Amino acid sequence: MLEQELADWRRLGVMGHHDAMRPWIPYHERAAPALAELAGALESEVVAMNSLTVNLHLMMVSFFRPEAPRNKILIESSAFPSDRYAVVSQLEYHGLDAAQNLIEMQPRAGERTLRTEDLIERIERERSHLALVLLPGVQYLTGQSLDLEPLIAAARRAGAAVGLDLAHAIGNTMLRLHDWNPDFAVWCSYKYLNAGPGAVGGCFVHERHGRNFKLPRFAGWWGHNKADRFLYDPNFDPIEGAQGWQISNPPILSTAPLLASLEIFRRAGMPALRKKSIALTGYLQQLIEQRLPGLVEIITPGAPEQRGCQLSLRIARPAAAAKRCQEQLTAAGVIGDWREPDVLRLAPIPLYNSFADVFAAVDILASALRA
């Protein structure tokens, strides 16, 4: 797909917006059917645009509207740093202080992951103060897949807006965003969606907001009524649905890989991929527990419904020695991910990893640990 867009750019120049094999003006719309299927959403509720943190800021413009006493945001304590930066900067933009207006949920003492009942209890306790609950689908550090449906329901009962970071969930776990009823969700596409570094991200806005044109938003020409977009009307007329939050025209060269990947997902089917994922990750867990007792601690939940394909491992060695294990894995061709100070994340991907790959990875890890 990328080669085709480059060829059309060489052949057509600006006319490719209309005359390319896949015309560039509606190019991002090609992603909507597959994104809607992966997100468990309506096509009108999803849009491929921007990057995750940009989309998070755009969503918070609309859905974080603090008015005392409802002026707090709840997140998890080890949220991905970019999410936290965005949240704190939004609080400061509204003249609020993170020390007073940011609630960061931690696991219980001695535990690694969050409990659904603890999150619900805190949401209910803070119900009169919560403006926004922002949670991950899969927590990036521990690999825990949160039980989103009751958490979203609790936040909505409390009167708070609900947003989700699905960076590690979309293309990894089964999602039903329309039915679960959050206000918004954002994601990137260079993790499980395989679209490559810097590829275009995505956004979900529930249909109940799709025609609410009174919601404040940052506007740009690509969110304007398509029929009049090139008439350059000075008055902004937003498109219905998630597309109305677009700012600029899509980056074609970073959207093309996403379209190619989504076609593979369409052919494979997420239910089949999830079934294989559970088996692969279960096999990885079994091998680690059998071959590396006392050497590796799995901090990801053991139950398949509480995780995606990722296992987060703590190596029972000083951090420098643990990091060397990760470096040896990389040198041997096993590409995991290191998170300071001592977490190694391994994720057998059902689209392209095999049980033989899992066996080889544990074999190499065992050799590194005993070196």
Side-chain angles (χ1 to χ4, degrees), residues 211-224:
R211 291 179 54 83
N212 184 359
F213 302 134
K214 293 182 179 180
L215 271 175
R217 69 180 82 191
F218 285 166
W221 77 317
W222 225 251
H224 184 85

Side-chain angles (χ1 to χ4, degrees), residues 199-217:
V200 69
C203 189
F204 163 91
V205 180
H206 198 277
E207 71 165 343
R208 59 195 161 84
H209 300 300
R211 291 179 54 83
N212 184 359
F213 302 134
K214 293 182 179 180
L215 271 175
R217 69 180 82 191

Side-chain angles (χ1 to χ4, degrees), residues 117-162:
E117 61 266 31
D118 292 348
L119 285 163
I120 291 175
E121 186 278 330
R122 188 63 182 272
I123 289 169
E124 291 176 345
R125 178 157 37 108
E126 299 282 353
R127 61 181 304 115
S128 62
H129 301 289
L130 280 177
L132 174 66
V133 173
L134 178 64
L135 294 171
V138 173
Q139 212 285 327
Y140 90 101
L141 185 62
T142 66
Q144 178 187 13
S145 180
L146 273 67
D147 190 2
L148 291 174
E149 186 171 17
L151 294 171
I152 293 167
R156 290 188 51 72
R157 286 195 305 270
V162 188

Side-chain angles (χ1 to χ4, degrees), residues 257-276:
L258 174 62
L259 296 183
S261 180
L262 290 175
E263 173 59 22
I264 296 171
F265 271 93
R266 186 194 65 79
R267 296 203 307 264
M270 196 60 205
L273 289 172
R274 180 60 179 152
K275 182 178 179 180
K276 181 184 175 186

Side-chain angles (χ1 to χ4, degrees), residues 49-50 220-223 245-251:
M49 67 181 193
N50 308 315
W221 77 317
W222 225 251
W245 273 264
Q246 295 175 109
I247 300 293
S248 300
N249 49 321

